[in-house]
Amino acid sequence: MSEHIQGNPDLLYGLHDRPTPTKAFLGAVQHVLASFVGIITPSLIIGGVLGLGEHIPYLISMSLMVSGVATFIQTHKVGPVGSGLMALQGTSFGFLAAVLAAGFVVKNKGGSPEEILSVIFGVSFLGAFVEIFLSQFITRLKSLMSPIVTGCVIVTIGLSLTKVGLTDLAGGVGAEDFGSIQNLLLGGGVLVSVVLISIVNNKVIRSSAIFIGLMLGLIAAILMGRIDFSLVSDAPIFTLPVPFKFGFGFDWQAFIPIAFMYVITSIETSGDLTATSMISGEPIKGPLYEKRIKGGVLGDGVNSLIAAVFNTFPVTTFSQNNGVIQMTGIASRYVGFYVGAILFTMGLFPILGAIFTQLPKPVVGGVTLLMFATVATAGIRILSTVNFTHRNILIIATSLGLSMGVAFVPDVFAQAPQLFRNIFGSAVTMSGIVAITLDMILPKNYGVEFDTVEQHLDDGLKPLRQKAS
């Protein structure tokens, strides 16, 4: 495998190119629109399930503000911290179950909402040091960084997330009109418009495909009477971050699942950054690549540390970021500076963010479905660089078979112990663990003889086939 994937004809701006401020801002807006819902949704879910009530608006505001700062650190690179790639940071969905489990540990003991949050942010703060520590030697763990492992993980991430995109396109979880013709037409129309705009020859229009698609969806939703801007007026006008506003608590039972998720998210982040590097036409092997992965995972850990200090949940590199790069052709890291500024501003002025919360689920789903699928194709491209020996086929088939099985049949481990379900109940975790384990234990030359014999047989049969034809 070569160190670079050269000649990406879809790139309009490479990693170090500097688009004009107008183009950079437009590209940044598309990243924000594509990730905004994903950034605030974990806060909405956690706040609703744990009954945090009045604190939810503040949690949403902090999630946006911290995502802005974290994106700037990850893209700008502060010393050894950050990858220097166009990698947007946002509140991690992967921690959702672990954070809720930690919250219920406190809630079941009669803890108040403030006590729940103090423990969640306390264990998240300490857990971040797990990822910070792991980042220092993650590039030495070759089995974790091999193309076959990262390819399987990225394919799994993309394919498993398509369910989220399609669910939103149909109306969203629990929607009374789920699957209605109106929702399907709205979401499907957005998806089709993005596809059509993406093949236009005009580079400016093509690079704005996601933004234009979302705006067309917003206009259509307004005409259909599905937007209620009166709800925007209920949002606070201005808010400021307060370090450890809810205090600093700790509980071992709450700490363990979150600490484990920091290990898992390190693997996911290395996979996401590999995809970002590849889509950006940058190395996916060698010293520069390893330095970026190490800095990116360290950035994830440091950013999650900052998130806990300023009262929001762990952050990670967003997968949909890669879909936006692939769709727009803009891989410039300087766009990340604008993304960070926009997100931070939205956090300061919650009323600005409240406007985007009015985007109907089908509109968002029409875009995210396509972006998540492009993430899967990025994983397929990485796997295409692997020699398809009998050994590697076994690894890929087992990893994807088990991970997709878990995604399609989530109750498969319903009778297993809770710890086992926490580990293997995630499709991405299953994919990573299986691929890493098999890549470590199967001999590197296993199946090579089989494939060589098969090739010789195929070569020997060629004359017979030619004669028969």
Side-chain angles (χ1 to χ4, degrees):
M1 181 177 65
S2 63
E3 284 202 2
H4 293 76
I5 292 182
Q6 298 281 12
N8 186 347
D10 297 324
L11 277 186
L12 301 179
Y13 295 100
L15 180 64
H16 302 294
D17 293 337
R18 289 178 178 262
T20 63
T22 300
K23 291 179 179 178
F25 179 78
L26 183 59
V29 169
Q30 293 183 97
H31 277 285
V32 171
L33 289 174
S35 62
F36 173 77
V37 174
I39 292 172
I40 69 171
T41 297
S43 296
L44 287 170
I45 295 174
I46 293 168
V49 172
L50 295 178
L52 303 179
E54 61 178 312
H55 300 303
I56 295 177
Y58 183 79
L59 295 176
I60 291 175
S61 188
M62 292 304 103
S63 67
L64 289 167
M65 208 174 296
V66 169
S67 291
V69 173
T71 298
F72 180 83
I73 291 173
Q74 187 69 269
T75 56
H76 183 273
K77 202 172 188 301
V78 181
V81 182
S83 65
L85 297 168
M86 177 51 247
L88 189 147
Q89 300 269 281
T91 312
S92 173
F93 273 88
F95 282 85
L96 200 57
V99 168
L100 287 173
F104 278 117
V105 167
V106 182
K107 188 171 184 178
N108 292 337
K109 294 178 181 178
S112 65
E114 292 76 17
E115 290 172 329
I116 292 173
L117 289 171
S118 72
V119 170
I120 288 175
F121 297 139
V123 296
S124 296
F125 177 86
L126 295 174
F129 287 100
V130 173
E131 189 168 13
I132 291 172
F133 171 75
L134 187 60
S135 71
Q136 298 308 296
F137 60 89
I138 192 169
T139 54
R140 298 178 187 175
L141 305 178
K142 297 299 182 182
S143 61
L144 296 182
M145 308 302 295
S146 70
I148 198 168
V149 173
T150 53
C152 284
V153 171
I154 293 171
V155 169
T156 302
I157 290 172
L159 292 181
S160 61
L161 285 174
T162 55
K163 179 180 179 180
V164 177
L166 189 60
T167 300
D168 283 347
L169 188 151
V173 177
E176 294 181 1
D177 60 346
F178 185 85
S180 68
I181 297 298
Q182 188 183 64
N183 285 341
L184 297 179
L185 287 175
L186 182 58
V190 171
L191 188 151
V192 170
S193 66
V194 173
V195 171
L196 293 178
I197 295 168
S198 296
I199 60 175
V200 172
N201 287 330
N202 187 294
K203 292 183 178 180
V204 176
I205 295 176
R206 198 190 87 198
S207 67
S208 307
I210 294 174
F211 177 74
I212 295 173
L214 287 172
M215 290 303 100
L216 289 175
L218 180 61
I219 293 170
I222 292 173
L223 296 176
M224 296 167 70
R226 300 192 55 165
I227 303 294
D228 183 8
F229 285 110
S230 64
L231 298 175
V232 176
S233 61
D234 295 333
I237 303 298
F238 185 80
T239 190
L240 285 173
V242 179
F244 290 119
K245 179 179 180 180
F246 304 102
F248 188 98
F250 182 81
D251 186 291
W252 275 108
Q253 191 178 351
F255 175 74
I256 292 174
I258 286 182
F260 177 78
M261 280 311 305
Y262 274 114
V263 176
I264 297 302
T265 198
S266 299
I267 300 172
E268 293 183 3
T269 294
S270 65
D272 286 335
L273 292 175
T274 299
T276 305
S277 187
M278 183 193 65
I279 294 170
S280 303
E282 292 295 310
I284 56 170
K285 186 179 180 182
L288 177 59
Y289 163 72
E290 292 184 356
K291 182 179 180 181
R292 284 173 174 164
I293 296 299
K294 181 178 178 180
V297 175
L298 177 60
D300 256 23
V302 171
N303 287 333
S304 291
L305 202 72
I306 294 171
V309 172
F310 291 102
N311 315 294
T312 191
F313 310 104
V315 298
T316 191
T317 303
F318 264 26
S319 302
Q320 55 262 53
N321 167 73
N322 294 323
V324 176
I325 294 174
Q326 191 141 308
M327 293 294 297
T328 63
I330 301 175
S332 171
R333 71 191 187 95
Y334 297 100
V335 173
F337 306 165
Y338 288 82
V339 173
I342 293 171
L343 289 173
F344 188 84
T345 302
M346 290 173 72
L348 285 174
F349 302 97
I351 194 169
L352 297 178
I355 295 174
F356 292 102
T357 63
Q358 297 305 302
L359 279 172
K361 287 282 188 180
V363 173
V364 178
V367 171
T368 56
L369 175 63
L370 188 60
M371 288 192 303
F372 292 148
T374 61
V375 171
T377 61
I380 294 172
R381 287 180 64 189
I382 292 176
L383 289 177
S384 70
T385 66
V386 175
N387 292 325
F388 274 70
T389 62
H390 190 59
R391 170 191 184 273
N392 291 343
I393 289 173
L394 281 176
I395 296 174
I396 295 170
T398 307
S399 174
L400 294 183
L402 288 172
S403 62
M404 287 297 96
V406 169
F408 296 146
V409 190
D411 294 330
V412 65
F413 298 130
Q415 303 300 317
Q418 183 63 48
L419 179 61
F420 186 90
R421 294 204 303 271
N422 289 341
I423 297 174
F424 294 100
S426 163
V428 177
T429 304
M430 174 69 83
S431 175
I433 290 177
V434 170
I436 290 168
T437 303
L438 292 180
D439 198 31
M440 289 176 64
I441 65 176
L442 289 182
K444 297 298 181 183
N445 61 349
Y446 172 73
V448 173
E449 298 85 354
F450 172 84
D451 292 304
T452 302
V453 171
E454 192 178 53
Q455 183 62 49
H456 284 318
L457 287 172
D458 188 61
D459 292 340
L461 290 172
K462 280 182 181 178
L464 294 175
R465 292 197 195 100
Q466 293 172 355
K467 187 176 182 180
S469 62

